[in-house]
Amino acid sequence: MGDYFQRIVDVEADEQEAGPLAGRMVDWLVSEGVITRETSGEGVYSQTADEGYVPGPRWDRAVVGSAETTWQPGPVAVMVGRDYYVGGQGQDEADSASCPRCDATTVIIDYPEEFEADDEVWRPYREAIAVWKETGEGGSVACSACAAAVPVTEWRFGSGFALGALAFDFWGWPPLDDAFLAEFSRQLGHSAEEQMGKF
Protein backbone atom coordinates (compact mmCIF):
# COMPACT_ATOMS: atom_id res chain seq x y z
CA MET A 1 0.00 0.00 0.00
CA GLY A 2 2.42 2.72 1.16
CA ASP A 3 2.04 6.33 2.23
CA TYR A 4 1.78 9.14 -0.31
CA PHE A 5 2.96 12.71 -0.01
CA GLN A 6 2.72 15.94 -1.92
CA ARG A 7 5.63 18.28 -1.35
CA ILE A 8 6.21 21.98 -1.91
CA VAL A 9 9.88 23.01 -2.00
CA ASP A 10 10.92 26.65 -1.75
CA VAL A 11 13.85 26.76 -4.18
CA GLU A 12 14.91 30.33 -3.35
CA ALA A 13 14.95 30.68 0.45
CA ASP A 14 18.38 30.46 2.06
CA GLU A 15 18.95 28.87 5.44
CA GLN A 16 18.85 32.19 7.31
CA GLU A 17 15.36 33.07 6.09
CA ALA A 18 13.97 29.51 6.00
CA GLY A 19 13.16 29.28 9.73
CA PRO A 20 11.30 32.59 10.03
CA LEU A 21 9.52 31.94 6.73
CA ALA A 22 8.44 28.49 7.93
CA GLY A 23 6.93 30.15 11.00
CA ARG A 24 5.02 32.69 8.88
CA MET A 25 3.72 29.95 6.58
CA VAL A 26 2.50 27.88 9.54
CA ASP A 27 0.78 30.99 10.94
CA TRP A 28 -0.94 31.55 7.59
CA LEU A 29 -2.04 27.91 7.21
CA VAL A 30 -3.42 27.95 10.78
CA SER A 31 -5.28 31.23 10.14
CA GLU A 32 -6.82 29.65 7.01
CA GLY A 33 -7.91 26.60 9.00
CA VAL A 34 -5.84 24.27 6.79
CA ILE A 35 -3.78 23.01 9.76
CA THR A 36 -3.81 23.35 13.54
CA ARG A 37 -0.89 23.90 15.88
CA GLU A 38 -1.31 20.38 17.22
CA THR A 39 1.39 18.01 15.97
CA SER A 40 1.49 14.28 15.37
CA GLY A 41 4.03 11.80 14.05
CA GLU A 42 1.41 9.38 12.74
CA GLY A 43 2.00 8.73 9.05
CA VAL A 44 4.93 11.16 8.78
CA TYR A 45 8.00 9.81 6.98
CA SER A 46 9.71 13.04 5.93
CA GLN A 47 13.47 13.30 5.50
CA THR A 48 14.18 15.53 8.47
CA ALA A 49 10.86 15.79 10.30
CA ASP A 50 9.30 13.18 12.59
CA GLU A 51 6.10 15.14 13.17
CA GLY A 52 3.73 17.37 11.28
CA TYR A 53 0.81 19.70 11.91
CA VAL A 54 -2.59 18.03 12.19
CA PRO A 55 -5.14 19.09 9.52
CA GLY A 56 -7.46 21.91 10.54
CA PRO A 57 -11.24 22.24 10.25
CA ARG A 58 -11.02 23.72 6.74
CA TRP A 59 -8.28 21.50 5.30
CA ASP A 60 -10.56 20.69 2.35
CA ARG A 61 -10.19 24.27 1.08
CA ALA A 62 -6.66 23.32 0.00
CA VAL A 63 -7.62 20.32 -2.13
CA VAL A 64 -9.40 19.45 -5.35
CA GLY A 65 -12.98 18.26 -5.00
CA SER A 66 -15.98 18.63 -2.76
CA ALA A 67 -15.93 19.55 0.91
CA GLU A 68 -18.23 16.58 1.49
CA THR A 69 -15.59 13.92 1.93
CA THR A 70 -14.75 11.22 4.43
CA TRP A 71 -11.05 11.44 3.56
CA GLN A 72 -8.80 11.88 6.60
CA PRO A 73 -5.50 13.45 5.56
CA GLY A 74 -2.34 13.12 7.60
CA PRO A 75 -0.09 15.79 9.10
CA VAL A 76 1.82 18.49 7.22
CA ALA A 77 5.55 18.24 7.97
CA VAL A 78 7.74 21.34 7.70
CA MET A 79 11.42 20.79 6.92
CA VAL A 80 13.97 23.54 7.51
CA GLY A 81 17.61 23.17 6.47
CA ARG A 82 19.61 22.63 3.29
CA ASP A 83 18.68 19.37 1.58
CA TYR A 84 17.77 17.79 -1.73
CA TYR A 85 14.25 16.53 -2.36
CA VAL A 86 13.16 13.79 -4.73
CA GLY A 87 9.64 12.85 -5.81
CA GLY A 88 8.57 9.40 -6.93
CA GLN A 89 9.47 6.29 -4.99
CA GLY A 90 12.94 5.10 -4.11
CA GLN A 91 14.76 7.50 -6.42
CA ASP A 92 17.73 9.42 -5.07
CA GLU A 93 19.13 11.18 -8.14
CA ALA A 94 18.00 13.70 -10.73
CA ASP A 95 17.29 12.34 -14.20
CA SER A 96 18.95 15.33 -15.88
CA ALA A 97 20.67 18.66 -15.22
CA SER A 98 20.67 21.73 -17.48
CA CYS A 99 23.45 24.31 -17.40
CA PRO A 100 22.15 27.83 -16.69
CA ARG A 101 25.00 29.32 -18.76
CA CYS A 102 24.52 27.51 -22.09
CA ASP A 103 21.27 25.49 -21.64
CA ALA A 104 23.01 22.20 -22.47
CA THR A 105 21.31 19.26 -20.75
CA THR A 106 23.26 16.42 -19.18
CA VAL A 107 21.36 13.13 -19.10
CA ILE A 108 21.85 11.34 -15.78
CA ILE A 109 19.23 8.59 -16.10
CA ASP A 110 18.79 7.54 -19.72
CA TYR A 111 15.10 6.58 -19.76
CA PRO A 112 13.73 4.23 -21.02
CA GLU A 113 16.94 2.28 -21.62
CA GLU A 114 18.13 2.75 -18.05
CA PHE A 115 16.31 3.25 -14.76
CA GLU A 116 19.34 4.02 -12.61
CA ALA A 117 21.70 6.97 -12.71
CA ASP A 118 25.01 6.78 -14.53
CA ASP A 119 27.20 6.99 -11.44
CA GLU A 120 30.11 8.73 -13.19
CA VAL A 121 27.80 11.38 -14.64
CA TRP A 122 25.97 11.91 -11.32
CA ARG A 123 29.11 11.87 -9.11
CA PRO A 124 30.14 15.57 -9.52
CA TYR A 125 26.59 16.71 -8.77
CA ARG A 126 26.33 14.39 -5.76
CA GLU A 127 29.65 15.68 -4.39
CA ALA A 128 28.71 19.33 -4.98
CA ILE A 129 25.35 18.82 -3.25
CA ALA A 130 27.16 17.29 -0.26
CA VAL A 131 29.39 20.38 -0.05
CA TRP A 132 26.38 22.69 -0.24
CA LYS A 133 24.50 20.74 2.45
CA GLU A 134 27.52 20.84 4.75
CA THR A 135 28.72 24.41 4.24
CA GLY A 136 25.97 26.36 2.49
CA GLU A 137 28.38 27.22 -0.28
CA GLY A 138 27.35 25.91 -3.68
CA GLY A 139 29.95 23.38 -4.73
CA SER A 140 30.53 23.80 -8.46
CA VAL A 141 30.00 21.38 -11.33
CA ALA A 142 31.77 21.93 -14.66
CA CYS A 143 29.45 21.90 -17.66
CA SER A 144 30.51 19.29 -20.19
CA ALA A 145 29.36 21.54 -23.04
CA CYS A 146 30.65 25.03 -22.20
CA ALA A 147 33.16 24.13 -19.41
CA ALA A 148 31.70 26.77 -17.06
CA ALA A 149 32.04 25.93 -13.36
CA VAL A 150 28.50 26.47 -12.11
CA PRO A 151 27.37 26.33 -8.45
CA VAL A 152 25.17 23.26 -8.00
CA THR A 153 22.35 25.44 -6.65
CA GLU A 154 22.10 27.15 -10.05
CA TRP A 155 21.76 24.00 -12.15
CA ARG A 156 18.22 23.25 -13.38
CA PHE A 157 17.46 19.64 -12.51
CA GLY A 158 14.83 17.47 -14.15
CA SER A 159 11.34 17.28 -12.72
CA GLY A 160 11.06 15.62 -9.34
CA PHE A 161 14.44 16.81 -8.00
CA ALA A 162 14.99 20.07 -6.14
CA LEU A 163 17.43 21.73 -3.76
CA GLY A 164 16.07 23.91 -1.00
CA ALA A 165 16.23 25.02 2.61
CA LEU A 166 12.47 24.87 3.22
CA ALA A 167 9.92 22.24 2.25
CA PHE A 168 6.42 21.15 3.23
CA ASP A 169 5.15 17.55 3.03
CA PHE A 170 1.40 16.98 2.93
CA TRP A 171 1.02 13.32 3.96
CA GLY A 172 -1.99 11.44 2.66
CA TRP A 173 -3.85 14.48 1.32
CA PRO A 174 -6.10 14.49 -1.76
CA PRO A 175 -4.54 16.39 -4.68
CA LEU A 176 -3.79 19.98 -3.72
CA ASP A 177 -5.81 22.54 -5.64
CA ASP A 178 -4.06 24.78 -8.19
CA ALA A 179 -5.52 27.92 -6.61
CA PHE A 180 -4.19 26.85 -3.20
CA LEU A 181 -0.75 26.10 -4.67
CA ALA A 182 -0.67 29.52 -6.35
CA GLU A 183 -1.61 31.25 -3.08
CA PHE A 184 0.93 29.15 -1.18
CA SER A 185 3.66 30.32 -3.56
CA ARG A 186 2.45 33.91 -3.26
CA GLN A 187 2.62 33.69 0.53
CA LEU A 188 6.15 32.25 0.29
CA GLY A 189 7.18 35.11 -1.97
CA HIS A 190 9.52 32.68 -3.75
CA SER A 191 9.50 30.19 -6.57
CA ALA A 192 8.43 26.74 -5.47
CA GLU A 193 8.50 23.28 -6.98
CA GLU A 194 5.92 20.59 -6.38
CA GLN A 195 6.62 16.89 -6.02
CA MET A 196 4.56 13.80 -5.44
CA GLY A 197 5.86 10.54 -4.06
CA LYS A 198 5.34 7.41 -2.05
CA PHE A 199 7.16 6.15 0.99
Side-chain angles (χ1 to χ4, degrees):
M1 176 88 177
D3 293 270
Y4 291 86
F5 65 84
Q6 294 172 83
R7 176 179 293 140
I8 302 171
V9 182
D10 185 322
V11 295
E12 292 183 347
D14 62 29
E15 194 166 32
Q16 286 69 41
E17 61 186 325
L21 182 53
R24 289 198 304 274
M25 292 301 292
V26 168
D27 289 344
W28 171 69
L29 290 167
V30 169
S31 73
E32 293 291 308
V34 176
I35 61 173
T36 69
R37 294 198 183 275
E38 179 185 352
T39 59
S40 170
E42 185 174 347
V44 175
Y45 306 98
S46 296
Q47 292 171 205
T48 59
D50 297 327
E51 293 186 332
Y53 295 94
V54 173
R58 294 182 302 222
W59 65 265
D60 57 305
R61 295 172 59 188
V63 303
V64 174
S66 169
E68 298 175 11
T69 179
T70 58
W71 193 302
Q72 293 298 315
V76 177
V78 181
M79 294 161 289
V80 176
R82 293 182 296 271
D83 215 333
Y84 66 94
Y85 297 96
V86 188
Q89 180 181 12
Q91 187 175 330
D92 203 38
E93 302 91 4
D95 57 11
S96 65
S98 296
C99 175
R101 306 290 189 266
C102 70
D103 285 329
T105 297
T106 299
V107 175
I108 297 166
I109 304 176
D110 190 14
Y111 297 121
E113 285 74 25
E114 299 290 334
F115 292 94
E116 294 184 5
D118 181 317
D119 193 56
E120 281 306 302
V121 175
W122 178 240
R123 181 182 50 76
Y125 298 95
R126 182 181 65 237
E127 292 174 353
I129 290 169
V131 169
W132 168 73
K133 282 183 62 175
E134 181 68 27
T135 69
E137 301 297 324
S140 294
V141 178
C143 176
S144 60
C146 71
V150 180
V152 71
T153 52
E154 295 180 23
W155 282 83
R156 297 186 306 271
F157 293 102
S159 63
F161 189 95
L163 301 177
L166 177 61
F168 303 81
D169 281 355
F170 291 73
W171 284 99
W173 285 55
L176 298 174
D177 184 73
D178 287 345
F180 171 75
L181 290 167
E183 181 60 18
F184 196 101
S185 185
R186 194 182 76 75
Q187 292 288 333
L188 278 175
H190 293 150
S191 297
E193 291 192 17
E194 298 146 34
Q195 298 176 346
M196 298 187 72
K198 179 181 177 185
F199 177 78

